[in-house]
Amino acid sequence: PATESKRLRIAMQKSGRLSVDSQALFASCGLKINLREQRLIAHVENMAIDILRVRDDDIPGLIMDGVCDLGIVGENVLEEESLQRKLDNDSADYTILKRLDFGSCRLSIAVPQEESYANSSCLEGKTIATTYPRLLARYLKQQGVNARIVTLKGSVEVAPRAGLADAICDLVSTGATLDANGLKEVEVIYRSKAVLIQRKNLCDDKQLKLINKLMPRINGVMQANE
Ligand code: PRP
Ligand code: ZN
Ligand code: MG
């Protein structure tokens, strides 16, 4: 019948820094997931939920376009997509349900180790490679620095050695990647964690009830981890 409820769709990262913790969170909340490798959609056996395993960069858009109902994503990716969509006059609506206790990282500017660096004015006229051009542009504007931004989807850390850029702006968690590439962190421009987000205008009664059932479980799991 037309009134039948749709299964709740939750987007999570397929593989990467958030995927193991996201999966563990679902398991702790009692979701029985049949996660066969290579599967885009995994059905939750004991609840009306489907898990969509996608690239993390795609998650904000899936929520903002209303294609998925919930998603777990890094704030850095979420903020970058929001800034871009606002510039493009595209819909950028979502609600943060919960700031999670995993996926901590910082978005930082790094320069070659041998370079002397005093403050952000040292970046004036330089070329900076990044996967997060909008967050970087916002920072440079705040600092009143003019620099050229080169957008790379991956291998940002090799850009200075390859002669593509003078500096980079990339995620740092342990710092091992910077070390391995002869770079030093000089500015932290954004601190990020994983967040659980919901699309706007979700109004299906059964889906809302399901979310209301999940939230106390998530809170409980997080308290137990403290
Ligand atoms: C980030 C970043 C570095 C690495 C830094 O990549 O681009 O490669 O993590 O971590 P570290 O300080 O612990 O060495 P991510 O894992 O997000 O993958 P991606 O670059 O493929 O998106
Ligand atoms: Zn990514
Ligand atoms: Mg990387």
Side-chain angles (χ1 to χ4, degrees):
T3 54
E4 200 181 333
S5 238
K6 287 200 204 98
R7 293 170 72 83
L8 192 72
R9 296 181 142 213
I10 308 181
M12 65 167 278
Q13 187 181 30
K14 184 178 166 68
S15 67
R17 65 173 69 235
L18 302 182
S19 51
V20 170
D21 288 318
S22 302
Q23 243 171 78
L25 180 65
F26 295 144
S28 309
C29 290
L31 277 66
K32 290 210 163 55
I33 307 168
N34 190 350
L35 277 183
R36 254 183 269 146
E37 292 308 314
Q38 314 300 344
R39 274 276 183 92
L40 170 67
I41 301 180
H43 290 271
V44 175
E45 292 163 13
N46 57 338
M47 291 179 218
I49 298 174
D50 288 339
I51 305 287
L52 271 91
R53 299 158 75 224
V54 296
R55 283 192 51 153
D56 64 340
D57 321 61
D58 290 335
I59 295 174
L62 290 170
I63 299 295
M64 291 167 185
D65 291 332
V67 175
C68 287
D69 304 305
L70 300 184
I72 293 180
V73 69
E75 290 168 309
N76 55 310
V77 170
L78 182 59
E79 186 69 6
E80 178 70 24
E81 183 72 17
S82 296
L83 292 172
Q84 185 61 56
R85 281 180 172 240
K86 279 169 195 162
L87 279 176
D88 296 344
N89 283 316
D90 285 337
S91 61
D93 276 349
Y94 63 90
T95 307
I96 294 189
L97 289 183
K98 188 81 190 170
R99 199 159 189 249
L100 301 168
D101 54 4
F102 57 84
S104 292
C105 61
R106 48 196 192 271
L107 184 62
S108 295
I109 296 176
V111 300
Q113 268 157 13
E114 63 278 8
E115 206 110 308
S116 65
Y117 184 95
N119 53 52
S120 60
S121 68
C122 298
L123 299 168
E124 184 68 32
K126 296 283 170 69
T127 299
I128 310 173
T130 188
T131 311
Y132 302 92
R134 301 269 65 95
L135 284 167
L136 176 58
R138 181 172 72 180
Y139 170 80
L140 293 172
K141 195 175 174 196
Q142 279 163 359
Q143 299 292 308
V145 170
N146 290 300
R148 190 152 65 108
I149 299 175
V150 171
T151 304
L152 292 176
K153 293 279 179 191
S155 306
V156 173
E157 61 272 8
V158 305
R161 243 190 310 140
L164 297 173
D166 304 302
I168 68 165
C169 174
D170 200 12
L171 295 182
V172 181
S173 102
T174 62
T177 302
L178 294 185
D179 275 351
N181 290 280
L183 300 169
K184 64 179 177 188
E185 189 175 4
V186 293
E187 305 284 354
V188 176
I189 73 163
Y190 193 81
R191 289 186 190 276
S192 175
K193 278 192 170 194
V195 286
L196 175 66
I197 56 174
Q198 179 182 313
R199 75 174 168 89
K200 282 280 174 176
N201 307 321
L202 195 154
C203 50
D204 181 298
D205 221 35
K206 282 191 180 140
Q207 293 188 343
L208 288 170
K209 274 191 186 138
L210 193 48
I211 293 169
N212 285 336
K213 195 166 107 177
L214 287 176
M215 290 313 295
R217 294 188 186 184
I218 291 173
N219 291 330
V221 171
M222 285 179 64
Q223 268 163 25
N225 287 344
E226 265 174 18

